Amino acid sequence: MLSAQTPIGTLISEQSRTNFTVQGAGARAMGLGGAFIAVADDATAVSFNPAGLAQLLHPEVSFVARGTQRSVGYEDFETSSRSRVLAVSDALVSSTRFDPLFISATAPLQVGGRNLVLQLSIQRAFALTDHTQRTLTESPLTTASGLPVQLAQDITQTGQIDLYSLAMAYEVSQRILLGLSYNQWRGRWDLASASLRTTGTTQAAVAFRQTNAMDGENLNLGLIWRWPTWSFGIVHRTGFHADYTFATQLSTSSGSGGFTGAPMTTGLHWPAGTGLGFAYRPSDLWLITADLSHTLWSTTRYMSTSPRLNGQSFFDFDKGDRTPNATDVHLGVEFLKITQDGTVIPLRVGLSREPQPVVDAITGTQRVMNHVSLGSGFKRGAVGVDVAYRYGWSSRRASQSLEVDQILTRTGTPSVGTEHIREHRLDVSTIVQFDRHPLERVLRHLFVGD
């Protein structure tokens, strides 16, 4: 059995974690398929490319919220063990949640005849709340293979990883914008899992609970090179070493093999990532944009004085190279319709492909999320509202450890079948602008002088 001082909850939560991509927050960007690195011209720019903040000419407050409905289907799973072939019943699990995604306050001022922009923001980088509840039946394919087995499994994960940022961007010239954000990462999430196996009149139960906390800090560095009809953007997110604390508890119906572990703090290396973006404006009404982002997920590993834990992957709990790096592709198009009263109504469509840092240990297949998005909104005067809908899907051959004790002991034969993921997202962004002159006078007095 694995040591009590092991974050084994990461293995259990992998079965319910379906989306782990570093991405920005904003309905306009999501309507463009997430391709915003070279555009980044609203208050959510800090989450894509902080250099874009230098394009903001008015003080702004912004708020972004998200609703997510996700379903995971398991089809045609079979378990082959001890000369027995068991057909596992199909299952479909779904969950719905709502999250505040981003809030910010932005203030521009003139320095040296150029725009300098300061911003405070909070972003929900990863919403880790999910609930998986299912009942499966392993049925022998022949009557001589023994009794059927019923498996009831309930996994609940609650919490998030939030990003607290202080950003600054400067218009170095008409062509060059530079930006920097200092980010405090704060993660808090809990995991509870219960598994009940029934064979005839015999039952065996395993219950597991883990609390997790992560704290770290890094920098995002951005640049935008802009021309009248096109712009190029680059952003680099530095890696960092985080403090990771966890405490685990395991109980079994047999009364043996359980434990309650004291809280343990270890190091966790969080990966660096780099994104490139290109935007083309064939006219004042059209925008075509594309992003390419690469994240070094293979370096996300524990740093510990424990030889057992040190160097193991955060995602698959393995010291090998199974956890892959990921390159995301985002594409988007926007058309602006301007009404007679001056209201701007955008129409957006986007596509994206986001490989996840999850490769199945048995089938060797990587989970890849594909998305198509639609967006619109309006901008009138000082108020802008954007709405975007995104549909995501993924299918792959995958294995499942149907019981927690299979994960804890690394024994038993996982079931293999087809995993289908379907996801619906709705983002809503609101941005309100203010007259810049009163605030500019105050900021200039505080940071520049009279």
Side-chain angles (χ1 to χ4, degrees), residues 150 152 195-199 202-206 252-254 403 405:
Q150 186 180 76
S195 177
L196 177 65
R197 178 186 180 96
T198 304
T199 306
T202 303
Q203 290 188 327
V206 177
T252 66
S253 58
S254 64
E403 301 171 82
D405 55 352

Side-chain angles (χ1 to χ4, degrees), residues 115-392:
N115 207 32
L116 173 69
V117 179
L118 305 175
Q119 185 187 76
L120 291 172
S121 66
I122 303 174
Q123 180 191 350
R124 181 139 299 170
F126 299 102
L128 300 178
T129 298
D130 209 347
H131 184 211
T132 298
Q133 186 177 49
R134 56 183 175 167
T135 300
L136 303 172
T137 301
E138 287 185 317
S139 302
L141 297 183
T142 63
T143 56
S145 297
L147 296 172
V149 177
Q150 186 180 76
L151 303 169
Q153 185 185 57
D154 190 302
I155 298 176
T156 300
Q157 186 172 253
T158 58
Q160 63 279 322
I161 299 177
D162 290 330
L163 208 57
Y164 298 82
S165 301
L166 171 63
M168 179 176 64
Y170 186 61
E171 182 187 19
V172 178
S173 69
Q174 184 180 5
R175 300 277 186 247
I176 301 297
L177 310 177
L178 296 178
L180 168 71
S181 69
Y182 167 74
N183 311 301
Q184 283 278 353
W185 293 71
R186 187 176 187 272
R188 301 290 185 271
W189 68 97
D190 297 332
L191 178 72
S193 175
S195 177
L196 177 65
R197 178 186 180 96
T198 304
T199 306
T201 59
T202 303
Q203 290 188 327
V206 177
F208 171 81
R209 181 174 178 82
Q210 179 172 298
T211 59
N212 306 268
M214 185 191 83
D215 295 278
E217 55 190 28
N218 83 317
L219 299 175
N220 289 357
L221 310 170
L223 176 147
I224 290 180
W225 182 25
R226 59 181 183 173
W227 289 75
T229 60
W230 61 267
S231 59
F232 172 79
I234 182 170
V235 61
H236 179 71
R237 305 175 183 92
T238 63
F240 62 94
H241 297 330
D243 293 326
Y244 176 61
T245 302
F246 61 91
T248 58
Q249 183 178 15
L250 176 73
S251 60
T252 66
S253 58
S254 64
S256 61
F259 59 77
T260 299
M264 176 180 179
T265 298
T266 185
L268 175 65
H269 177 75
W270 199 255
T274 302
L276 302 175
F278 181 80
Y280 174 60
R281 297 171 180 83
S283 73
D284 292 339
L285 301 180
W286 285 94
L287 169 67
I288 302 171
T289 181
D291 285 1
L292 195 69
S293 298
H294 187 70
T295 304
L296 301 175
W297 289 119
S298 63
T299 65
T300 314
R301 296 183 179 273
Y302 296 106
M303 301 174 296
S304 173
T305 56
S306 167
R308 181 191 297 268
L309 182 59
N310 188 52
Q312 292 191 343
S313 169
F314 174 76
F315 293 99
D316 59 25
F317 206 70
D318 187 88
K319 289 191 176 184
D321 57 0
R322 180 155 53 93
T323 297
N325 299 323
T327 300
D328 305 334
V329 179
H330 304 265
L331 304 170
V333 177
E334 179 183 72
F335 172 74
L336 301 180
K337 179 179 175 57
I338 303 176
T339 65
Q340 292 182 349
D341 63 357
T343 301
V344 179
I345 301 177
L347 302 175
R348 307 181 183 107
V349 63
L351 298 172
S352 62
R353 183 180 186 271
E354 298 177 350
Q356 303 296 297
V358 176
V359 172
D360 192 272
I362 305 299
T363 68
T365 56
Q366 183 178 7
R367 181 180 291 148
V368 178
M369 294 297 298
N370 301 286
H371 307 101
V372 59
S373 58
L374 298 172
S376 188
F378 72 89
K379 173 71 167 65
R380 185 174 184 181
V383 178
V385 175
D386 288 299
V387 179
Y389 166 77
R390 189 179 81 170
Y391 174 69

Side-chain angles (χ1 to χ4, degrees), residues 74-81 83-91 135-142 145-151 402 414-417:
Y74 304 93
E75 297 179 358
D76 303 323
F77 274 75
E78 287 186 355
T79 305
S80 300
S81 178
S83 301
R84 301 175 68 203
V85 179
L86 307 177
V88 182
S89 58
D90 293 346
T135 300
L136 303 172
T137 301
E138 287 185 317
S139 302
L141 297 183
T142 63
S145 297
L147 296 172
V149 177
Q150 186 180 76
L151 303 169
L402 298 178
S415 297
V416 176

